[in-house]
Amino acid sequence: MAEKDLQSIREQLNEEKWTRATINSYTVTNFSKFDTIIDSCVKDNEGEELKEICDEHLSHTKNSIIALYVSGVLSYHLQDINDSNMIYLIEIFKDNHKENIVEFLSNRILDFGENKIALRFLAECYTDNTEADKKYKVWERLIKIDYEEAELVKLIAEKKEEEGDKDAAAEFYKKAIHRYINKKNFNQIKEIWNKLIEYNIDDIPFFLRIEKKISAAISNEKSVLLLEELNVRLLKKNDWDASIDILKRILDYDPQNDHARKQIVDCFRKKYSDHSQLEEYIKLSNITQNWRNIHEAIFDFEKHISFDAGAFVFHRSWGVGIIKSTKDDMITIDFAKKRGHSMSLKMATGALFNLPKYHIWVLKSIWPADKLHERVKNDVKWTLKILIKSFDNATSLKLIKNEMVPSVLTQGEWVTWSNEAKKILKTDPEFGNLPDKADIFVVRDNPITVEEKLYNKFKAEKNFYEKLKSVSEFIENADTESEFFSEMFSYVTNYIKKLSSINEQVVAAYLFLQDITRKYPYLNPGFEKSFEQIISEASDIYDIFDKIEDADIRRLFLENAKKLSNWADIYAEIFPKYLNKFIFDELLEAGHEDKIRKIILDIYERAKENRNAFIWLVKNIDDFEKYNISNEKVIITLLHLLDVTNREIDNKHNVSPNRKTAKQIETLLFANNLVKNFVLKAELDSVSRIYSILFDVKDIDPKERENIKDVILEKYPDFKFFDKVEGDVQRDIFSKGLLCVEQSYRAKQKELKYILEVEIPRNSKEIGAAIELGDLKENAEYKAGKEKQELLNISVSKLKKDLEKVHIVSEDDVEADKVNFGTKITMFDINKNEEQVFTILGPWESDPSINILSYLSPFGKAIYGLKEGEEKNFTINESNYNFRILHIEKADFSAFSTEKEIEVEFE
């Protein structure tokens, strides 16, 4: 059936070409027939082939109506964000005044989701007055997805106003004023501002948000003009508090505004008309005098006026008190331990802080401790409101904790209480946070909307990729018609307007928007360039990919790169920095065995630089032999990498990541039995090579070496170990684990206890305090705390592991018939012609500066098991040594205590 449909389209394209069908010959019925063919091909998975036929036809016949329509509709079916063919087709019929087909084609596009261009074309079809309702309905759809459209929003608001729907009109006017601010059209802003004052003058938070946006986008002067108009209406309402707030805002912008200064004095007089000291306080503050800084004058006046009988105050030394009386310029205060204390108003201004009656310090003073404890513990929401409002309605969890612990709650109670508080602060609409500081919480006069909360989260984020996640979260959980979203979305779309300078953020923004557009076509911002064009203009696409921090966007990058002709080369280059089976699977599925082989060989040959990549290969490739890499080479490479990594750890180089790398290699070699399985199948020469390398690798657990020896002996009973000493003494000692003296064991136990009981709790407190500072991505204290935590955990893990395998050796255990743990050896250095004395102990006692050597050190291993009179020639790090053993005796264990040194270090 599909082939028949494809052939039908081919024939119709040829017929259209040769008969030169006119525009007037096409009807809606023709396009409906094309839709039948399109649906059939899509159903039979032949859509892409049909689109290729039409696109090829358009390459030489660009005005083919059939090809434009079929290719255009298939673009939507195939989720191709390029809608140029359908738009061009509509323009052809519009230019020829075929409005019915323009309407059909516009609706056909809209069948696949909202589209700004299609909606505009559709609205233009309804120019007749009889179809005005249809036009307005289309406009309402359009403004939901076109965040820059302002004029139509205003026209809709005016229509709602004419219909008497004032609530709806107000909402559209609010939407319009946001958009006119973005366009900086002050005349329209002013007109709508006055409209909104008429509709809802009490929504002061809205007007303050708007004027702040106007100040940032246009100028302070324009904000002042609008605030003055709002204040005129507030004064007529006798709303002194609101008017004072507005006048303060005006004076913030224009401190020399004499009219605002006079008005705020008048408002104070009206608000405090019953206060006995009103005129005295106005005089004292010099608020009416132009020479006095207006902000300082307002501060002084409000502080003075608050000193009235019954008001609470705070003194740094005497704590909370209540004003009992005021007379002339003297006030009398009752403090808990200083009742009836009098001071002048001038002194009070500098010494006292006014407290509202709900302030937490007031409640601590006047409520019984058990009553406050019970209320705080059982009513978290009430407590949060009290605490936040106590500190100028802007408080962090850290400050809250300082107020609560230990004066009201215990540390244990705080843990449970704070978890509940965090949930409330995150989900309850009565709480919000400052837009630029996500960790500073406020109590809302009006409940915060989901949109505003997500917007504030977006604004507080400093990391680009976290901002993208906030945009996604908004789309999924909130109303994208909100003007909050338009600002967030513009933040992202602005990046794809910077295509003259391609960096990782531009590419990430492009990929993010492309993905969003596939899911929500109406959000299509319009893409000037394709991914291929963007990548071709980038200076280094591999560097760009490496700098993209988000895993989902990296996957989008790879999916788009797959459409490029050289995608296999790109994948091969990217793989060492992005260890992902997706790349391998895609290359294998496409038959690029050569690329896979090259990736594997390149990583193998440069394994030291690509350690994690090589480890990934070992974990994920079952058969290296088909890539001409033997299992012996794989194990040898892993052993070399383990040795290099352990040495870097000793040199304090990338300690944390290197420990993880070493752990992975040890797991592959020993826990996953790579070495054991190889030995059981390998020839004798291969086993000898593997063991010689294994013996030299730094810091391998002696037990693992002994386990491999057992496996080798199981396969080759006569195998001669070059490190084996006559008799079974050394083998017995090694099999017992890590050797040490009792004093060292006790010191290590004490070290472990100190870390567990002192260092880790202290570090946890430091991390907890850092968390309460908020903004973990930019929090240096938090990062430092987490890094220290990781090092402490690594130390604990190593100490526990070592202590588990310890074998304590006493002087009675030592036999001095050969070089052994606990022996003191006098040797003759044949190369230097001199005697030297060494003591052989374990790594915990080792101190080469005084000739105490570890039996696990290269030198210790070389001489281990030698007897008096024996000579040995050996090489360590390319240096040749030649020694004869002159005398062996037991060492004095009492001289090797390290416990005191460790204790001093901890103190």
Side-chain angles (χ1 to χ4, degrees), residues 219-413:
S219 71
N220 293 345
E221 290 77 11
K222 298 300 185 186
S223 284
V224 169
L225 288 174
L226 297 179
L227 289 170
E228 287 176 339
E229 294 197 13
L230 175 60
N231 191 49
V232 169
R233 309 291 183 90
L234 292 171
L235 290 173
K236 288 179 180 178
K237 285 184 62 188
N238 296 335
D239 190 344
W240 313 125
D241 286 330
S243 185
I244 288 169
D245 287 341
I246 295 301
L247 288 165
K248 284 180 180 178
R249 191 70 72 99
I250 291 172
L251 289 164
D252 282 340
Y253 292 131
D254 183 10
Q256 306 306 317
N257 190 316
D258 291 340
H259 182 65
R261 187 178 195 124
K262 289 174 182 176
Q263 281 191 318
I264 200 168
V265 173
D266 289 341
C267 287
F268 283 141
R269 283 194 167 107
K270 298 283 180 40
K271 179 178 179 180
Y272 299 107
S273 59
D274 295 333
H275 199 293
S276 61
Q277 302 294 315
L278 173 63
E279 292 304 323
E280 179 66 20
Y281 292 162
I282 287 176
K283 181 180 178 181
L284 283 171
S285 67
N286 290 308
I287 195 171
T288 60
Q289 306 301 311
N290 287 342
W291 57 265
R292 180 78 198 277
N293 179 288
I294 185 60
H295 301 300
E296 293 175 359
I298 290 172
F299 177 81
D300 283 352
F301 172 78
E302 290 187 325
K303 191 163 189 178
H304 293 159
I305 205 73
S306 66
F307 293 142
D308 202 6
F312 290 96
V313 293
F314 177 81
H315 188 277
R316 293 185 185 277
S317 300
W318 306 322
V320 175
I322 185 169
I323 297 175
K324 298 305 292 182
S325 64
T326 62
K327 187 175 182 180
D328 298 327
D329 67 340
M330 296 297 293
I331 62 174
T332 303
I333 311 121
D334 277 347
F335 295 102
K337 296 181 180 179
K338 198 174 183 67
R339 296 190 176 274
H341 181 75
S342 295
M343 64 174 66
S344 67
L345 182 62
K346 184 176 181 180
M347 181 179 290
T349 302
L352 303 178
F353 298 94
N354 180 257
L355 300 178
K357 61 183 179 181
Y358 56 76
H359 198 288
I360 186 62
W361 295 349
V362 173
L363 299 183
K364 285 182 178 180
S365 298
I366 65 176
W367 280 24
D370 56 347
K371 176 184 176 182
L372 183 60
H373 174 266
E374 195 66 20
R375 183 69 187 270
V376 167
K377 185 177 179 181
N378 296 319
D379 195 339
V380 179
K381 182 174 178 178
W382 172 85
T383 309
L384 284 171
K385 285 185 176 181
I386 290 294
L387 287 161
I388 293 171
K389 287 183 175 181
S390 292
F391 301 101
D392 297 324
N393 199 28
T395 311
S396 69
L397 271 176
K398 181 180 180 182
L399 290 175
I400 289 174
K401 182 180 181 182
N402 289 342
E403 280 302 322
M404 291 290 98
V405 181
S407 60
V408 180
L409 297 173
T410 65
Q411 179 64 43
E413 289 172 331

Side-chain angles (χ1 to χ4, degrees), residues 597-798:
R597 179 180 296 277
K598 185 176 185 306
I599 289 173
I600 293 172
L601 290 176
D602 285 348
I603 290 173
Y604 166 71
E605 290 169 3
R606 294 185 297 157
K608 183 179 177 181
E609 294 79 24
N610 295 301
R611 287 174 222 185
N612 289 331
F614 185 74
I615 291 169
W616 189 93
L617 291 178
V618 176
K619 288 179 179 178
N620 289 276
I621 294 179
D622 297 327
D623 184 11
F624 275 89
E625 299 282 354
K626 66 180 181 181
Y627 301 108
N628 296 325
I629 303 173
S630 67
N631 290 333
E632 180 181 346
K633 289 179 179 178
V634 170
I635 292 174
I636 289 173
T637 302
L638 285 172
L639 288 169
H640 282 315
L641 291 180
L642 181 58
D643 187 59
V644 169
T645 303
N646 283 337
R647 293 183 188 281
E648 288 182 358
I649 293 170
D650 269 6
N651 293 328
K652 309 300 182 188
H653 179 67
N654 290 335
V655 174
S656 182
N658 271 331
R659 285 195 184 279
K660 292 177 182 177
T661 299
K663 182 67 176 176
Q664 291 183 74
I665 297 174
E666 288 172 353
T667 299
L668 286 170
L669 290 171
F670 306 118
N672 292 357
N673 294 322
L674 272 184
V675 178
K676 177 182 177 180
N677 293 336
F678 174 80
V679 167
L680 292 174
K681 296 177 182 178
E683 298 295 326
L684 181 59
D685 287 347
S686 294
V687 172
S688 295
R689 283 191 292 271
I690 291 293
Y691 185 75
S692 67
I693 295 170
L694 177 69
F695 181 77
D696 287 333
V697 173
K698 181 173 178 54
D699 291 339
I700 283 185
D701 188 341
K703 279 188 177 179
E704 300 295 355
R705 285 200 183 93
E706 293 306 312
N707 289 339
I708 296 304
K709 280 186 177 182
D710 290 338
V711 176
I712 293 172
L713 290 173
E714 178 183 337
K715 179 75 182 291
Y716 298 105
D718 297 328
F719 189 92
K720 300 295 183 184
F721 296 102
F722 62 87
D723 61 319
K724 183 173 176 63
V725 182
E726 290 295 329
D728 297 323
V729 176
Q730 183 187 9
R731 184 172 180 79
D732 289 343
I733 292 175
F734 270 114
S735 66
K736 292 176 182 177
L738 180 67
L739 305 183
C740 72
V741 299
E742 186 176 358
Q743 297 96 319
S744 297
Y745 179 73
R746 287 203 305 269
K748 290 296 181 182
Q749 281 185 315
K750 181 175 282 191
E751 181 180 351
L752 176 61
K753 183 178 180 181
Y754 185 84
I755 294 174
L756 291 172
E757 296 181 3
V758 179
E759 290 283 334
I760 289 179
R762 180 191 298 160
N763 173 247
S764 297
K765 288 181 181 179
E766 291 169 353
I767 293 173
I771 288 173
E772 289 174 6
L773 294 174
D775 192 10
L776 301 186
K777 300 177 194 65
E778 304 294 330
N779 190 326
E781 291 87 350
Y782 176 76
K783 290 179 180 178
K786 292 298 287 184
E787 288 172 4
K788 184 176 179 181
Q789 183 185 63
E790 185 174 6
L791 290 174
L792 288 172
N793 288 336
I794 290 170
S795 297
V796 168
S797 176
K798 188 175 188 310

Side-chain angles (χ1 to χ4, degrees), residues 814-833:
V814 177
E815 295 182 6
D817 58 334
K818 63 189 70 174
V819 177
N820 205 335
F821 182 97
T823 56
K824 182 177 179 181
I825 308 102
T826 303
M827 302 191 300
F828 183 73
D829 187 334
I830 297 172
N831 293 341
K832 295 182 179 180
N833 194 31

Side-chain angles (χ1 to χ4, degrees), residues 459-523:
K459 292 289 285 184
E461 289 291 357
K462 293 180 174 61
N463 180 276
F464 170 76
Y465 297 97
E466 292 301 320
K467 279 187 176 290
L468 295 186
K469 289 178 182 177
S470 293
V471 175
S472 291
E473 186 179 0
F474 195 106
I475 294 171
E476 293 169 7
N477 298 290
D479 183 3
T480 55
E481 291 182 49
S482 163
E483 293 309 314
F484 291 118
F485 180 71
S486 66
E487 183 178 334
M488 295 166 66
F489 199 63
S490 294
Y491 168 83
V492 187
T493 57
N494 284 338
Y495 277 93
I496 66 170
K497 296 175 183 176
K498 303 174 183 175
L499 295 180
S500 58
S501 176
I502 309 296
N503 59 28
E504 70 276 7
Q505 292 185 336
V506 171
V507 173
Y510 177 92
L511 294 169
F512 175 82
L513 290 169
Q514 183 190 63
D515 188 51
I516 289 294
T517 300
R518 286 197 189 100
K519 298 173 185 174
Y520 311 97
Y522 66 88
L523 291 175

